[in-house]
Amino acid sequence: MNKKDILIVAVKLFIITAVAALCLAFVNKITAPVIENNKIITMQQTQKEVLESAIEFEKVDVKHIDSEENGTYIEDAYRGLNKEGEVVGYVVSAASSRGYGGNIRVMVGITSDMTINRVKITESSETAGLGLKASNPEFIDQYIGRDVSLTVKKNISPTNKGEDIAAISGATVTSRAVTSAVNLSLEFTKSIIEEKEGK
Amino acid sequence: MKKTFLNGILKENPTFVLMLGMCPTLAVTTSALNGLGMGASTMIVLIFSNMFISLLRKFIPDKVRIAAYVVIIASFVTVVEMLLKAYALSISNSLGIYIPLIVVNCIILGRAEAFASKNNVLLSAIDGVGMGLGFTGALTIIGSIREILGAGSLFGISLFGSSFQPVSIMILPPGAFLTLGLILMTINIIKERKERGNIND
């Protein structure tokens, strides 16, 4: 190939990549704000789902409270307020890196009397038919009404009382990851309330 | 044209004959619905990438054609992903993981190189449809087998009673290899019998 041919090839490739980059930048400019807004709306919908008694949510400043333990960490926490502006509970987003397929993110709604209202799994890469079953009511509803730190046990039936969570058959890793995220959320909420009362 | 269309479904089925796109085939066929969803998304991308590349086939320099194909395909898929996330959130959520996976699917690059770069836009589009349907069919079949044996359901509907003990390994990676291997074995047996039949005639 002589110099002229190389130059033509380079220019053509440049044009292709330049047009591609322009298209991407253009579409990104239009869609980025919409995507961001969608994320906020989805988050608000999930918050309402896990704490129905609240109509409004306020972000709580969490940076100074200890929020990480064994691969499980708190992402953020919101105070839930009813229409009179009173605090009815908290919604905590937590994640565990110990899922079978990677990170599992949960949102935990906790009422002011430190009882778990509902848990929703917001993100997971678990296996269909096994770890993904964690989102089924049979597993996830076990957390409703609990107020203590929970342990996963195998070969027991799903329960709503005490300190045990029945593991999903064949998905103990997933069950443990979700439970550790829920436990940390409950503990974290206790710290928030203690701090508030301490003041 | 009909020949091009049928080619991708049977004679040169991307999964069972050309053996392209094995990674998503093995990873995503954990259920019939997953297989169907991935197949359909890939088909849409395949049709348009074939058309795009066919349109530009005289402009893309031969020496850098693979680089050009990759840029075009990846940009197209990214644009689709952004548009879905912004304006069709529920579709994006159900197909979410599949979309970025399509970029690395060898079928897209394979057909761009083997067909779209050498044929006109209409034929390339038809090739995309044929190959896409062939791929979707293959994935749905594999996904169905794995779901029935590994979870006792089909498209989420439970088939057997609660006393059914699912063969869990089927929805894990080894199950994928087993299913694909057994299907290929069956196809090859059928092909050999047909050929022996033809020779005897």
Side-chain angles (χ1 to χ4, degrees), chain B residues 74-123:
Chain B
S75 307
F76 178 67
V77 174
T78 308
V79 164
V80 169
E81 194 187 3
M82 286 195 273
L83 290 174
L84 282 180
K85 279 200 180 141
Y87 303 113
L89 194 55
S90 50
I91 300 182
S92 168
N93 284 340
S94 8
L95 298 178
I97 38 151
Y98 305 143
I99 315 275
L101 284 180
I102 295 171
V103 181
V104 300
N105 189 326
C106 300
I107 298 178
I108 314 281
L109 205 57
R111 293 323 283 172
E113 164 76 353
F115 198 93
S117 57
K118 305 179 175 123
N119 290 277
N120 66 38
V121 180
L122 181 59
L123 277 180

Side-chain angles (χ1 to χ4, degrees), chain A residues 66-136:
Chain A
D66 192 28
S67 57
E68 207 239 295
E69 197 181 300
N70 288 338
T72 312
Y73 52 95
I74 303 288
E75 292 185 328
D76 52 51
Y78 283 76
R79 216 173 270 128
L81 309 168
N82 62 12
K83 62 178 184 305
E84 281 91 36
E86 298 161 336
V87 178
V88 291
Y90 296 83
V91 176
V92 180
S93 290
S96 168
S97 56
R98 298 258 176 102
Y100 186 78
N103 278 359
I104 303 183
R105 290 176 67 224
V106 299
M107 218 180 240
V108 186
I110 300 173
T111 47
S112 312
D113 61 351
M114 295 308 309
T115 309
I116 296 179
N117 187 56
R118 183 164 287 124
V119 175
K120 187 146 191 237
I121 297 182
T122 50
E123 208 181 281
S124 82
S125 337
E126 304 304 278
T127 318
L130 291 172
L132 267 194
K133 280 194 190 161
S135 300
N136 293 357

Side-chain angles (χ1 to χ4, degrees), chain A residues 1 5 8-13 16, chain B residues 56-66 68-69:
Chain A
M1 267 179 98
D5 290 335
I8 294 180
V9 171
V11 167
K12 282 188 172 178
L13 196 55
I16 293 175
Chain B
L56 296 171
R57 70 189 184 279
K58 306 235 164 82
F59 179 76
I60 299 174
D62 193 62
K63 292 243 184 293
V64 293
R65 66 187 188 284
I66 302 291
Y69 298 158

